[in-house]
Amino acid sequence: AQKVTQAQTEISVVEKEDVTLDCVYETRDTTYYLFWYKQPPSGELVFLIRRNSFDEQNEISGRYSWNFQKSTSSFNFTITASQVVDSAVYFCALMDSNYQLIWGAGTKLIIKP
Amino acid sequence: EAGVTQSPTHLIKTRGQQATLRCSPISGHTSVYWYQQALGLGLQFLLWYDEGEERNRGNFPPRFSGRQFPNYSSELNVNALELEDSALYLCASSWGGTLAKNIQYFGAGTRLSVL
């Protein structure tokens, strides 16, 4: 069965701290895609990154970085030098061969000034 | 370029009524997806339309239905509303075709409240 687990329900850090959001997935597909989305209080889901199952290179985009490890079925997301504007709910998702996104429960990130 | 637009922003209905939610995809996108985000239940896949046809359906009763128009916009209909249908309904669009091209971009959602 396809499943995405985000074990951290809520994380609270002080601004400028680094924070890592964990994501563990389960799938039997050999070809799959992993995603991270951000949902600010406004409600709209904002696409952050997509990774395919054949590309284990880490990705860095500004203060954001992603670590994909097939050996541990994990796709973790790190924010460096966090800012108050990073406060949101972050979702990890898995796309299966049916083009269906299977979502984690989300991690609420609170950045305190 | 305009993103995914959804209307209305908020919708208040009473139990037993019908609700119609609308979604316009990003220009050039042929696939539209509907998701329900209810408190405590997370994001759940509802429906997927591509090129005017329903391609996949989540685990929801038949009173959740929809369609996709020739201009690729879409409508979600919820009949015989129940209190537990209260949720944020999110629409997403993407290029159709291969899995490799599939990134779903979301609208701001319609918040449906059933009283």
Side-chain angles (χ1 to χ4, degrees), chain B residues 14-83:
Chain B
T14 56
R15 198 168 48 181
Q17 285 188 315
Q18 180 199 38
T20 298
L21 289 63
R22 296 181 177 84
C23 173
S24 292
I26 291 171
S27 177
H29 285 186
T30 61
S31 279
V32 170
Y33 308 79
W34 288 95
Y35 292 87
Q36 182 195 65
Q37 188 175 26
L39 271 175
L41 293 178
L43 278 152
Q44 297 186 78
F45 167 73
L46 259 167
L47 290 159
W48 169 30
Y49 293 95
D50 182 60
E51 298 283 0
E53 293 192 15
E54 183 179 302
R55 301 292 187 185
N56 199 5
R57 182 183 182 87
N59 189 24
F60 280 84
R63 56 192 187 81
F64 286 84
S65 65
R67 53 180 171 165
Q68 186 178 33
F69 299 99
N71 66 353
Y72 302 113
S73 67
S74 177
E75 200 172 82
L76 173 69
N77 294 296
V78 188
N79 294 320
L81 284 165
E82 300 179 2
L83 295 177

Side-chain angles (χ1 to χ4, degrees), chain A residues 89-100:
Chain A
V89 180
Y90 290 85
F91 290 93
C92 180
L94 166 72
M95 182 172 285
D96 65 8
S97 50
N98 291 320
Y99 293 66
Q100 183 175 329

Side-chain angles (χ1 to χ4, degrees), chain A residues 33 37 39 50 95 99-100, chain B residues 37 56 97 99-100 102 104:
Chain A
Y33 291 82
Y37 283 86
Q39 188 175 39
R50 180 185 69 167
M95 182 172 285
Y99 293 66
Q100 183 175 329
Chain B
Q37 188 175 26
N56 199 5
L99 208 56
N102 198 302
Q104 296 179 24

Side-chain angles (χ1 to χ4, degrees), chain A residues 37-47 84-91 108-109, chain B residues 4 6 8-10 37 43 87-91 106-112:
Chain A
Y37 283 86
K38 173 183 179 179
Q39 188 175 39
S42 60
E44 182 174 346
L45 280 163
V46 178
F47 166 74
V84 172
V85 293
D86 295 327
S87 296
V89 180
Y90 290 85
F91 290 93
K108 183 176 183 179
L109 179 62
Chain B
V4 177
Q6 291 186 244
T9 307
H10 293 91
Q37 188 175 26
L43 278 152
L88 180 67
Y89 288 84
L90 291 162
C91 172
F106 284 79
T110 292
R111 186 162 295 283
L112 173 63

Side-chain angles (χ1 to χ4, degrees), chain A residues 25-87:
Chain A
Y25 63 93
E26 294 175 32
T27 181
R28 290 182 182 170
D29 289 349
T30 53
T31 300
Y32 54 89
Y33 291 82
L34 296 165
F35 296 77
W36 276 95
Y37 283 86
K38 173 183 179 179
Q39 188 175 39
S42 60
E44 182 174 346
L45 280 163
V46 178
F47 166 74
L48 295 177
I49 191 171
R50 180 185 69 167
R51 258 289 172 266
N52 74 52
S53 52
F54 298 107
D55 183 0
E56 284 195 73
Q57 280 190 334
N58 290 334
E59 175 97 6
I60 298 176
S61 176
R63 297 184 295 107
Y64 295 172
S65 62
W66 291 269
N67 181 263
F68 174 32
Q69 291 195 340
K70 284 180 77 171
S71 60
T72 56
S73 297
S74 65
F75 186 41
N76 296 336
F77 173 30
T78 297
I79 300 175
T80 302
S82 61
Q83 299 176 2
V84 172
V85 293
D86 295 327
S87 296

